[in-house]
Amino acid sequence: MQDMNNTQQKLVVLIDADNASPSIIYGLMAEIAKYGTAHVKRIYGDWTSPNLKGWKEILLEHALQPIQQFGYTKGKNSTDSAMIIDAMDLLYSGRFDGFCIVSSDSDFTRLASRIREGGLNVYGFGEEKTPKSFISVCDKFIYTEILQNIDENDSENNGVKEKKPQVKQKSTNELKMDTRLVNLLRSAVIASMDEEGWAFLGEVGQHITKQSPEFDARNYGYAKLKDLVKAIGLFKIDERIDQRAPNIKQIYIKDKRMKKQEVED
């Protein structure tokens, strides 16, 4: 597998227009840029349908190549088949490092699995309703709800509209009550900690992603994992200066329940 933190990756972006909202486009492209450069950007659907009007208006702006698929048979999705065929052709070309599949459809589960078998990274993008089967075979899965933005008037800025995230920030009590979240964080700390019980936050995040590809601090209303960890209030936080780069702080965390004797044991 390629390093997911490598922003030099050559990526293929395949969008199921029938199964994704055009309102995610700005957040989507910004998110993809974190993982690499989109060398191929294709979007599939029946472009004769009025349902895709929103996508039509932004195709040129984002250099998306529309692929026409007529819905010949009611209840059958020819878009999925076209995406899968194109994905396999691009996979066999050997020119790319990873794929971004934008859909909430479980039909792409086997495709994602096959791409990973080929040694490439798979980044999935879909709504929270996306079946777990598809989510679990991706290296990383991002809920599109956190990529959508709503316009709100800013009274302090002469009525100019600003983009604000739709995901509501969860309180400390709500976070602590989320058993799955607490267990994910604590198990990741245990797996990454040193002899004194401190775990580098970057390694904690990587461990969580391997366990739960859909995990993202933004799902809870926080911009970064550091902010989420601070908000939940279950961990001690130590910001250390990187000796090789004094301007960079390294974040380490430790479970507050952990005593010195427990670490030594």
Side-chain angles (χ1 to χ4, degrees):
M1 292 287 177
Q2 300 285 333
D3 181 0
M4 287 198 295
N5 294 321
N6 179 11
T7 57
Q8 301 304 313
Q9 289 187 106
K10 297 178 181 178
L11 300 175
V12 172
V13 179
L14 304 177
I15 303 174
D16 179 0
D18 297 324
N19 228 305
S21 168
S23 64
I24 69 170
I25 188 62
Y26 295 101
L28 174 66
M29 301 314 296
E31 188 72 21
I32 289 172
K34 295 178 182 179
Y35 305 108
T37 302
H39 283 245
V40 174
K41 292 185 284 186
R42 298 180 186 176
I43 181 167
Y44 300 74
D46 183 356
W47 299 101
T48 64
S49 170
N51 296 334
L52 300 187
K53 182 178 182 295
W55 279 113
K56 288 180 184 177
E57 296 172 351
I58 57 176
L59 292 177
L60 289 177
E61 181 181 353
H62 297 278
L64 297 172
Q65 180 186 0
I67 306 298
Q68 172 64 32
Q69 286 299 311
F70 291 101
Y72 293 110
T73 306
K74 188 175 182 180
K76 299 290 184 180
N77 195 342
S78 58
T79 296
D80 294 0
S81 299
M83 281 181 63
I84 292 170
I85 291 170
D86 282 3
M88 294 310 295
D89 287 342
L90 292 165
L91 171 64
Y92 291 142
S93 74
R95 297 185 289 117
F96 304 100
D97 303 308
F99 281 69
C100 300
I101 301 175
V102 186
S103 179
S104 304
D105 197 332
S106 62
D107 288 350
F108 297 109
T109 300
R110 183 68 188 99
L111 172 63
S113 179
R114 178 62 187 86
I115 293 171
R116 291 188 69 193
E117 288 173 4
L120 278 65
N121 289 321
V122 177
Y123 306 97
F125 298 83
E127 297 176 4
E128 291 184 8
K129 68 179 183 181
T130 304
K132 187 67 176 179
S133 58
F134 179 32
I135 294 174
S136 61
V137 296
C138 296
D139 291 285
K140 177 69 177 176
F141 193 91
I142 297 94
Y143 289 136
T144 52
E145 282 84 354
I146 65 175
L147 303 180
Q148 291 179 327
N149 291 294
I150 53 176
D151 289 325
E152 292 187 0
N153 287 322
D154 184 356
S155 59
E156 296 181 1
N157 196 24
N158 298 322
V160 176
K161 291 184 177 181
E162 291 189 346
K163 298 287 187 179
K164 295 188 178 182
Q166 283 187 323
V167 180
K168 182 181 178 182
Q169 190 175 86
K170 291 191 175 183
S171 67
T172 296
N173 287 336
E174 288 175 318
L175 294 174
K176 287 181 177 179
M177 292 293 288
D178 189 331
T179 304
R180 184 171 183 272
L181 171 62
V182 172
N183 289 338
L184 271 175
L185 289 171
R186 281 179 167 158
S187 63
V189 168
I190 291 172
S192 310
M193 68 184 187
D194 58 20
E195 295 82 0
E196 297 181 350
W198 289 100
F200 176 50
L201 189 60
E203 292 183 9
V204 170
Q206 291 174 10
H207 187 84
I208 292 175
T209 299
K210 290 178 181 178
Q211 285 187 291
S212 181
E214 76 276 20
F215 176 84
D216 195 306
R218 292 170 296 179
N219 294 338
Y220 303 91
Y222 294 87
K224 297 180 179 179
L225 179 57
K226 178 183 69 174
D227 302 326
L228 175 62
V229 170
K230 284 183 177 180
I232 201 169
L234 298 175
F235 302 90
K236 295 179 181 178
I237 298 175
D238 184 18
E239 297 187 2
R240 305 175 185 177
I241 301 297
D242 188 336
Q243 300 300 322
R244 295 167 297 180
N247 294 330
I248 298 177
K249 290 184 178 180
Q250 304 242 345
I251 310 298
Y252 285 79
I253 65 175
K254 181 178 182 179
D255 193 332
K256 289 182 177 179
R257 303 178 308 170
M258 193 166 292
K259 299 177 182 179
K260 184 175 181 181
Q261 184 61 40
E262 292 176 334
V263 176
E264 292 175 349
D265 291 345

